[in-house]
Amino acid sequence: MQRSAGSRRRRRHSSRPVLGGAMAIIAAGALTVTGLVSTAQAADVNNAKNAGFESGLANWSCSGGSGATVSTPVRSGTSALKATPAGQDNAKCTQTVAVKPDSTYALSSWVQGGYAYLGVSGTGTTDTSTWTPGSTSWTKLSTTFKTGANTTSVTVYTHGWYGQAAYFADDIEVTGPDGGGGGDGPGPVIPAAPAGLAAGATTTSSVALTWNAVSGATGYTVYRDGVKATTSTGNSATVTGLASDTAYQFSVSATNAAGESVRSAAVSARTAKPGSGGPGPAVPKHAVTGYWQNFNNGATVQKLTDVPADYDIIAVSFADATATQGAVTFKLDTAGLGGYTDAQFRADIKTKQAQGKNVIISIGGELGTVRVDNDASATAFANSVYALMQDYGFNGVDIDLENGLNATYMTKALRQLSAKAGSGLVITMAPQTIDMQSTSGEYFKTALNIKDILTVVNMQYYNSGSMLGCDGKVYSQGSVDFLTALACIQLEGGLDPSQVGIGVPASTRGAGSGYVAPSVVNAALDCLTKGTNCGSFKPSKTYPSLRGAMTWSTNWDATAGFAWSKAVGPHVRGLP
């Protein structure tokens, strides 16, 4: 967010390269394989290693962290590959396979889910691929290839397609003469102990836990005070059935077909006290977020009570960095706000909360210099934000760091804050468009890391220039397509629709570029939730639980006669 109305220059993001040999437009029935028909001989072997993903992603490499092993659905064995396209990443997973020169091989894989491609490159002759637009049951993809006179290895790959759902793959075969690579390789080995175990949100009867994924693991076992409590196929779990206001110790182990790892280092967590509840009113199913300026930059100066009822979440902008790395503080700009006193401000927070609104503290902004990139700064951040919540009564925190974010340590900071504040904590984020182009970005990783405690990500669809949409096309800001095609990246990249909001300026003076009329915002909301009023981009499905919209700022909205909130607020409340 901007502390002033000045524009900021942003670099343009280049168009994506052609990946994996896939074609953006393929005529129906045009994909055939000719001239390479061969029957596998009795001595032929499967040259792919870990072909059924029983050893996790061993021997495989997936772009942008897009791949993972799952226990369901599987075609055979206990595991399969799940790869999820996001933004300009088509979830390409590859393996280098040893082959014999001047030989013919049969390449096949069973696939399910979204668009799925199977292919081979580096053959020394003609590279080949095949694909399916998706299926709800296991479907076999098959093709053949011949190696060149000097070819001793090829690259076998699978990938999905931009803006499409995740695909699953299992039982990949590269059948032909033994290339000397050891066939399917050795069986799985017992995985390492999980690292990074952390306690998150607590209730009177439950504790949420997360840990780092372990290579080769197909599942995890969670222990409470040394006794098995629950199991999980992912790197998170919630232990339930606990007593209130009670301390527990938790540890976790990793499992696969070879056995169970040693347990992780233990962490402690205490359940909430009876009647403690959350720190504020629940956020509505569809909500409008507005940033309130604790400074005067030419926009209308407001008290909190001047903010219209159309706003459900009010983000007080901004907390400031202190001399301690990671720590923040807040001081009301009484002089800049025309004599608005600290006592009035605190009383107005309570007034808004009594009206069912959440008032949170925003960290960062265009000029913010808060840095969280080690354990000490993560703890300082959590402690200082919680202290502000206790002091002023804020319901949560907004992350608007526009000068860099470290996903590892911001995740730790927010989980520490969640453990202190409880399940009612409101966490919002306001990344710039470039921050949410790929799940490999630090902002996107942070959002996914805290998905279980995250309220909403209101990406800033302004001061941006052109960006890639989830279909791989380039869209210019200031249009309904820019809003919908970029929102699609988050919606298909792992966030729940209820965690996605559209962030726009309230007036032409609220940002350097990217302003759209409220009617465009409403059209984008309709397109994403109902499939109506779309531009040239129309998502493949609708997202009725989309959270809503955000604006910078309530002050610029007031300067423009509240045209934005009067139009967008009622529209958000009327979403399905």
Side-chain angles (χ1 to χ4, degrees), residues 483-517:
L483 304 181
T484 55
L486 268 68
C488 174
I489 296 175
Q490 300 171 67
L491 292 163
E492 293 299 319
L495 292 179
D496 188 85
S498 67
Q499 296 173 320
V500 176
I502 295 174
V504 295
S507 75
T508 55
R509 296 177 62 191
S513 63
Y515 171 78
V516 293

Side-chain angles (χ1 to χ4, degrees), residues 202-495:
T202 62
T203 69
T204 55
S205 61
S206 68
V207 173
L209 301 168
T210 61
W211 54 88
N212 299 335
V214 177
S215 176
T218 57
Y220 301 89
T221 302
V222 178
Y223 293 87
R224 182 198 68 217
D225 294 336
V227 178
K228 181 178 177 180
T230 188
T231 59
S232 174
T233 57
N235 60 329
S236 65
T238 299
V239 180
T240 59
L242 307 178
S244 63
D245 194 22
T246 302
Y248 294 92
Q249 278 204 332
F250 301 94
S251 58
V252 61
S253 66
T255 59
N256 64 14
E260 181 178 3
S261 74
V262 298
R263 298 176 191 176
S264 69
V267 297
S268 298
R270 178 177 288 275
T271 50
K273 296 179 180 180
S276 60
V283 175
K285 176 183 178 181
H286 299 297
V288 175
T289 301
Y291 286 80
W292 177 86
Q293 298 178 188
N294 180 40
F295 50 89
N296 183 352
N297 65 345
T300 299
V301 171
Q302 292 181 314
K303 297 180 175 64
L304 279 183
T305 48
D306 295 331
V307 177
D310 286 307
Y311 291 97
D312 303 291
I313 301 174
I314 303 169
V316 172
S317 310
F318 296 95
D320 295 307
T322 72
T324 301
Q325 184 183 336
V328 297
T329 188
F330 175 80
K331 182 178 181 180
L332 191 73
D333 183 11
T334 297
L337 301 183
Y340 190 26
T341 68
D342 184 79
Q344 288 176 307
F345 176 72
R346 292 171 186 269
D348 288 351
I349 291 176
K350 291 182 172 60
T351 297
K352 279 296 181 183
Q353 291 167 338
Q355 296 169 355
K357 311 303 180 181
N358 279 276
V359 182
I360 63 178
I361 183 67
S362 183
I363 313 295
E366 182 186 16
L367 304 178
T369 57
V370 179
R371 186 161 54 91
V372 179
D373 57 11
N374 56 44
D375 285 322
S377 59
T379 298
F381 181 92
N383 289 344
S384 61
V385 172
Y386 186 63
L388 289 178
M389 292 176 61
Q390 295 291 98
D391 187 12
Y392 286 90
F394 295 127
N395 303 118
V397 65
D398 170 69
I399 307 301
D400 183 20
L401 296 174
E402 300 181 17
N403 297 292
L405 182 149
N406 183 302
T408 298
Y409 294 102
M410 181 53 70
T411 297
K412 289 185 176 183
L414 292 174
R415 290 211 170 275
Q416 288 182 44
L417 178 62
S418 175
K420 293 174 179 292
S423 58
L425 176 69
V426 175
I427 300 178
T428 68
M429 301 174 74
Q432 299 168 97
T433 53
I434 190 66
D435 296 320
M436 302 299 284
Q437 283 277 285
S438 169
T439 54
S440 62
E442 294 299 292
Y443 242 111
F444 213 143
K445 285 195 293 187
T446 302
L448 295 176
N449 287 348
I450 62 164
K451 184 176 176 181
D452 58 310
I453 57 173
L454 174 65
T455 305
V456 63
V457 175
N458 292 305
M459 189 169 73
Q460 301 179 43
Y461 294 80
Y462 51 95
N463 292 339
S464 171
S466 298
M467 286 285 160
L468 286 169
C470 66
D471 56 356
K473 296 181 181 179
V474 177
Y475 293 94
S476 298
Q477 65 178 357
S479 67
V480 66
D481 287 332
F482 189 77
L483 304 181
T484 55
L486 268 68
C488 174
I489 296 175
Q490 300 171 67
L491 292 163
E492 293 299 319
L495 292 179

Side-chain angles (χ1 to χ4, degrees), residues 25-32 131 133:
I25 302 176
I26 302 177
L31 193 60
T32 61
W131 73 296

